Amino acid sequence: AQKVTQAQTEISVVEKEDVTLDCVYETRDTTYYLFWYKQPPSGELVFLIRRNSFDEQNEISGRYSWNFQKSTSSFNFTITASQVVDSAVYFCALKEVGNTDKLIFGTGTRLQVFP
Amino acid sequence: DAGVIQSPRHEVTEMGQEVTLRCKPISGHDYLFWYRQTMMRGLELLIYFNNNVPIDDSGMPEDRFSAKMPNASFSTLKIQPSEPRDSAVYFCASSFRGRMNTEAFFGQGTRLTVV
């Protein structure tokens, strides 16, 4: 069954600390996509990254980096030198492209960055 | 493109009334998703369409909920009769499969309050 698990419900850090948000997924498909979205206090869902199942290269974008490991079915997200503006709920999501094309979200991790 | 457009942004209604939420997906997108977000259950996929056809409505909570997509540029989610437990933020999202499976783009959401 298709499932996304974000075990960390809430994380609090002080500004400039590094923080890693965990995401573990389950799927029977060999072809799938993984996503991270950010939901700031204003409520909209902002796309951060898409990764397909055939591309295990890690990616860095500014202070953000993502570590995709198929062997452990994980797609973790690290924010380096966190800032107050990073405070938000972060969602990991999985889309199978075989039978279902469903886009399923994890329960989210609330990140609070204190000054 | 204006992005995914949802209306209304806020809706307050009395228990028992019919509520209709509207969504205009991004032009050219062939997938449309309806999600409900609550504190207790997070982001739940209610139903999704591919090329205007409902593919999976297993997330629709009960018969009081119905969704339609009469054409590629419009979808509705209807609740009749509404109940206080339906209070939530309802998001519509669209995506394009094609050769590159794009991320889902979300609307601003409709905050529904049933009193």
Side-chain angles (χ1 to χ4, degrees), chain A residues 33 35 37 39 43-45 47 50 91 95 97 100-105, chain B residues 31 33 35 37 43 48 56 58 91 95 97 100-104 106 108:
Chain A
Y33 284 80
F35 306 84
Y37 283 82
Q39 187 175 41
E44 72 273 24
L45 280 153
F47 164 76
R50 175 185 73 242
F91 292 94
K95 185 177 184 184
V97 293
T100 72
D101 283 301
K102 269 185 176 180
L103 177 61
I104 298 296
F105 283 79
Chain B
Y31 279 86
F33 305 85
Y35 290 88
Q37 186 177 33
L43 267 168
Y48 74 99
D56 188 336
S58 59
F91 286 101
S95 69
R97 186 172 179 179
M100 279 291 290
N101 214 313
T102 73
E103 62 273 20
F106 282 77
Q108 297 276 64

Side-chain angles (χ1 to χ4, degrees), chain A residues 6-49:
Chain A
Q6 294 181 257
Q8 306 150 307
T9 53
E10 189 160 343
I11 300 175
S12 294
V13 299
V14 177
E15 219 172 9
K16 297 183 183 176
E17 282 186 35
D18 299 347
V19 58
T20 295
L21 310 182
D22 298 333
C23 173
V24 174
Y25 61 92
E26 294 176 32
T27 177
R28 292 181 188 152
D29 274 13
T30 55
T31 304
Y32 52 89
Y33 284 80
L34 295 163
F35 306 84
W36 275 95
Y37 283 82
K38 174 182 180 179
Q39 187 175 41
S42 50
E44 72 273 24
L45 280 153
V46 178
F47 164 76
L48 295 178
I49 190 172

